[in-house]
Amino acid sequence: MPDTPEREEPGPKVAGDGPAPGQPEYAKAMRDAIASMPSVQQLLADLRSPVASAFQIPTQLQNLATVTTVLSTDALRALRPPANFTQLPDYQRILTNLAPRISFPDFAELFRRHQPANWHGTTGDGVKTMDLIELARAGWPSAWVPGPKVLRALALAAPAERGQVLCDHEKHVLDDCDAVLAEVVSGPSEVQAGLLRQAVAAARQGYHAPAQAMAASVIDTVIRESVSPWRGYNDWLRLHPDDDDFTIGQMRYMTTMAPVRPALERFFPEKGDPVPEAFNRHASTHAVGDVQYTRTNALVGVLLAVSIVREFHAEYAEQVEDGSPEVKGARGA
């Protein structure tokens, strides 16, 4: 006698769920529900944007965030699937098996821990993490200093207005620098931190040119010390490419160093190149004058020097905590 296929007994009808099994409309309702369900790829795409926005996650980090969020029942509910979604119990199981069980809150905390401290309280209400990274790439220090208030103002300002934002908030900028430098109390960056405190004091008194000159010298010294043996600025730039190929653990360092690239742009007066108007290490040393030496450039230079010194001190402290202190060096070297 041939086997008779077993039939699954229909479950009880839930009010509001549509026609019950056995009714003529049931088969059509099921077909319509399945046809209208998003694909797994679409689920990932739908989840990616709100999750990344909520946690301020850069584009290159969104895939991991998306996969982990797929495992969240709340996130699945937020997608508002078709009414008969609950009649397909295997769908949740299939999604659950797509990736390892990773705790999304733990990932969010990991992401936050590798941000510069001044980013906490900066993002949100129109400012995203990528805005702060792009700000740094454009030559405006955004890691460690300035504090959230000034950093938000910079991120929200039009590019042409950012210099005025720094000048309008000069006292806050210098206070933020002093507060961060006060954290550098030992290690190989302690001397540079002391010299930068003098630069901050000079700027408070209106002596912006000496402050800028000191900042440019400190920047030159610390980046030279970060690569051993030193082979020149082009080699440093090669070790610090301007791209998105960085991990969460490298994000803080990458953002700290991003403004160094425009500050190292070369120009050749003998070839007719104009003196750069934005802060520039070469021009601060070899083109002293009222084009390069400005109040805005002095504040940018001090911020950048403080940012780098604080980053190197953080790396030194992390190495000491790990029990293996080493000479600070360029990431990826």
Side-chain angles (χ1 to χ4, degrees):
M1 181 175 179
D3 292 336
T4 302
E6 293 184 3
R7 264 194 326 184
E8 191 173 335
E9 288 297 322
K13 181 180 184 300
V14 180
D17 278 348
Q23 294 182 354
E25 299 85 2
Y26 179 75
K28 181 179 183 303
M30 286 295 292
R31 286 197 301 271
D32 291 344
I34 293 173
S36 63
M37 288 181 67
S39 65
V40 170
Q41 290 81 2
Q42 186 60 48
L43 276 171
L44 294 177
D46 290 344
L47 281 165
R48 180 177 297 133
S49 178
V51 170
S53 176
F55 286 90
Q56 309 299 328
I57 299 175
T59 303
Q60 62 272 20
L61 305 178
Q62 287 178 18
N63 289 338
L64 176 58
T66 297
V67 170
T68 59
T69 308
V70 167
L71 308 181
S72 165
T73 301
D74 291 340
L76 289 173
R77 291 197 189 101
L79 290 176
R80 299 189 179 183
N84 288 319
F85 182 83
T86 55
Q87 298 177 18
L88 300 171
D90 286 343
Y91 200 78
Q92 173 76 40
R93 179 179 59 80
I94 292 170
L95 286 175
T96 302
N97 291 333
L98 284 174
R101 291 181 178 274
I102 303 172
S103 171
F104 189 80
D106 291 344
F107 174 80
E109 178 56 33
L110 176 68
F111 184 73
R112 177 182 173 86
R113 190 162 67 244
H114 286 287
Q115 291 180 339
N118 61 320
W119 288 12
H120 305 161
T122 299
T123 54
D125 296 328
V127 177
K128 298 181 180 180
T129 296
M130 284 306 300
D131 295 330
L132 304 181
I133 293 175
E134 292 303 324
L135 191 67
R137 285 172 165 164
W140 303 92
S142 68
W144 297 106
V145 285
K149 177 180 179 179
V150 180
L151 188 54
R152 277 188 58 82
L154 282 173
L156 292 170
E161 299 172 353
R162 288 169 180 164
Q164 189 60 50
V165 168
L166 284 184
C167 292
D168 290 345
H169 295 84
E170 181 173 4
K171 182 181 183 304
H172 291 292
V173 168
L174 298 177
D175 287 346
D176 294 337
C177 287
D178 270 336
V180 167
L181 290 171
E183 299 170 355
V184 185
V185 294
S186 61
S189 299
E190 185 177 12
V191 172
Q192 285 84 8
L195 292 171
L196 286 176
R197 278 192 283 271
Q198 295 182 38
V200 171
R204 287 189 190 279
Q205 298 299 317
Y207 298 117
H208 294 98
Q212 180 173 336
M214 175 61 75
S217 295
V218 169
I219 292 169
D220 189 64
T221 297
V222 295
I223 67 170
R224 282 173 176 268
E225 290 180 351
S226 72
V227 180
S228 180
W230 175 254
R231 297 187 179 92
Y233 300 108
N234 288 337
D235 191 58
W236 190 93
L237 292 170
R238 180 183 62 80
L239 293 171
H240 297 78
D242 184 18
D243 57 35
D244 291 331
D245 188 17
F246 60 90
T247 66
I248 298 176
Q250 295 169 329
M251 179 173 59
R252 191 190 70 202
Y253 179 88
M254 184 282 299
T255 307
T256 301
M257 298 302 162
V260 178
R261 292 189 63 86
L264 290 183
E265 287 184 2
R266 305 295 294 274
F267 74 102
F268 301 94
E270 64 275 13
K271 296 181 180 180
D273 293 347
V275 175
E277 295 183 4
F279 174 76
N280 182 277
R281 182 217 64 85
H282 188 58
S284 293
T285 303
H286 301 291
V288 177
D290 57 5
V291 175
Q292 173 61 201
Y293 275 79
T294 65
R295 182 184 178 192
T296 296
N297 285 350
L299 295 176
V300 170
V302 170
L303 283 168
L304 182 54
V306 171
S307 177
I308 297 171
V309 166
R310 182 63 183 87
E311 173 62 24
F312 282 146
H313 179 71
E315 294 199 350
Y316 169 79
E318 289 164 3
Q319 291 163 359
V320 170
E321 185 177 352
D322 291 341
S324 57
E326 301 172 359
V327 177
K328 54 194 176 186
R331 290 285 178 89

